[in-house]
Amino acid sequence: MDNYRYLMDFDTDKIRKEYYDVIIIGSGIAGVYTALELPDKYKVVILTKETIDISNSVLAQGGIAVSLDKEDSPELHFKDTLYAGAGLCDENSVWVLVNEAAQNIESLCKFGVNFDKKKNRDELSLTREGAHSKNRIIHAGDTTGKEVCDKLISIVETRNNVKIKERTFAIDILTDKDVCKGVLTYDEDSSEYILYVSNVVINAAGGFGQLYSNTTNPEVATGDGVGLAYRAGAELMDMEFVQFHPTVLFHPENKSFLISEAVRGEGALLRNVRGERFMPQYHELNELAPRDIVSRAIFSEMKKTDSDYVYLDITFKDKNYLEERFPNIYKTCLTYGIDMSKDYIPVAPAEHYCMGGVKADVFGRTNISGFFACGEVACSGIHGANRLASNSLLEGLVFGHKISDEVNRVLGDRGAYDETFHLKYSMNRANKEIDKKQLKMNIQNIMTKYVGIIRDKEGMLKAKGIVDECYNSINEMVNISIEDFEIQNMVLLAKLVIEAAIEREESRGAHYRTDFQNTDDINWKRNIIKKKNLGNNK
Ligand code: SIN
């Protein structure tokens, strides 16, 4: 059955309500920066599933792409983004991204974010990452996301107009005929359902990396923001494009720690387990080819050598340099007995980023009035079929700023919420018992095996059969806990990713099919959109 509009039964008259001008779901860079950019005349709440400092953005290592060098330009950044995106980027959105990058980085510097500077100079230090034709990645050591998020969070915490609600799970947005009315939530601390009422909801809830067994994403990345958008009738786009980061630590005790692309940017080489360098056989940009190409090359070398990993070699740089440039990576590797100044680092690709998500224009607007999307949860077309390295934090900044402008334009002097809105929803589900832990593991295994780096119809149909069965059985569940809501979102998104991946009968960017190995511009230079048929459930 595909006709459940909401995950749970409720009656808005019986739920405690709080009223805001603007609700933001998610506390990564997109959510917090947008909150800071909104004028302080608005009463804003940030809802976050865990504590405010837990997000994918915080874990970002490499940096933020911005054309600051005199040899560089937004035009070159535009060209590189399009090249990595394999023909599917929205050029209009990419122009906005690259042209408005510098002004938002300037804002970050004004907020006090400490990016690394060139030696003895006041200019920001610029490094290179995959598929960039110039050095344009600004960074803060190898913990750029943490530096940016820590600074932004410390400021937002001082804002009187912004309330932060931690351990608050956004279950569903409430809508009335394609107009957003608020967010139904579960408050873990008080074990209470609370309805946050507002005509403006900004979805910055992140991606769905937890659909895969090995991911660089935190546990919270179960796709709740994409799931609630789909149930409300928002259009989703490019769901089949899931990016695998080529170099994630492969150690029995840790298969999710990122070894930043910046390490390759500083010259690291990839070697198979026989010690042979292989990237020159795969692409003219060698180790700095676009991510999808490097990930597939590693996958193929792993198969060829019957191994679960390859090596990253930066042993030609001395210890002092590595400790200073990559303090976190150096220290973390050492805890696993790997001294990167002497030892090769075992690495394998792991899920890293979802290009697809809630279809949004450059002002973050979706097809639901008052409902905006920003950051990884959104699909504004800037990544196409494969995201260019270090464009993701930038996306949160540029489009967060544009959303704040748009909200200001729409709301004017006063925010708006509908105090009279009332809704009672009931679906009478049978209370079926489900082993959710086992189900989550099954989904992760199936997605990794059949809908990962290399795909084909046979495998994906197998995955579809299993996931469809899971989908039918969870439709019979009564959802009351966070675990229930999460598994609903994960199964739904697995189903949507598989369906889009089966539909796209070609290979492009991160979507590679052994049964359709070529890119087919004639039939497939277009986006796949998924939208729930709401019928009478509007
Ligand atoms: C990295 O540091 O390699 C990740 C950067 C990104 O995902 O853009």
Side-chain angles (χ1 to χ4, degrees), residues 61-62 129 245 258 260-262 291 352 387-392:
Q61 295 180 352
E129 285 181 2
H245 195 290
L258 189 64
S260 174
E261 195 151 314
R291 264 183 204 168
H352 183 56
R387 176 172 67 81
L388 181 67
S390 284
N391 266 352
S392 57

Side-chain angles (χ1 to χ4, degrees), residues 124-135:
L124 299 183
S125 166
L126 302 170
T127 191
R128 179 89 53 119
E129 285 181 2
H132 286 274
S133 58
K134 298 284 174 196
N135 284 17

Side-chain angles (χ1 to χ4, degrees), residues 269-273 275 278 309-313 344-347:
L269 304 176
L270 283 163
R271 300 185 184 281
N272 63 25
V273 283
F278 55 84
Y309 56 89
V310 297
Y311 289 120
L312 192 63
D313 170 14
Y344 293 169
I345 309 168
V347 291

Side-chain angles (χ1 to χ4, degrees), residues 432 439 463-475 491:
K432 194 166 171 171
L439 181 51
K464 180 169 162 40
I466 300 168
V467 169
D468 281 350
E469 235 172 77
C470 299
Y471 188 69
N472 290 336
S473 67
I474 60 162
N475 256 320
V491 175

Side-chain angles (χ1 to χ4, degrees), residues 370-431:
F371 184 53
F372 296 79
C374 189
E376 189 175 355
V377 79
C379 182
S380 53
I382 56 165
H383 306 308
N386 176 54
R387 176 172 67 81
L388 181 67
S390 284
N391 266 352
S392 57
L393 294 181
L394 181 63
E395 172 184 21
L397 298 173
V398 169
F399 295 105
H401 175 80
K402 292 203 85 67
I403 289 173
S404 73
D405 279 353
E406 176 63 12
V407 168
N408 195 17
R409 189 188 70 76
V410 172
L411 290 185
D413 277 348
R414 291 181 45 199
Y417 40 76
D418 184 354
E419 281 173 281
T420 61
F421 178 66
H422 163 84
L423 182 64
K424 188 172 174 184
Y425 180 82
S426 168
M427 283 303 289
N428 297 321
R429 292 169 177 86
N431 193 2

Side-chain angles (χ1 to χ4, degrees), residues 326-392:
F326 300 112
N328 184 41
I329 297 175
Y330 188 87
K331 199 175 73 208
T332 305
C333 284
L334 215 51
T335 62
Y336 297 106
I338 303 157
D339 176 347
M340 63 195 272
S341 68
K342 294 195 200 112
D343 306 318
Y344 293 169
I345 309 168
V347 291
E351 194 285 341
H352 183 56
Y353 189 87
C354 309
M355 269 72 76
V358 185
K359 185 173 185 291
D361 68 8
V362 294
F363 294 101
R365 290 178 297 211
T366 68
N367 59 310
I368 296 174
S369 175
F371 184 53
F372 296 79
C374 189
E376 189 175 355
V377 79
C379 182
S380 53
I382 56 165
H383 306 308
N386 176 54
R387 176 172 67 81
L388 181 67
S390 284
N391 266 352
S392 57

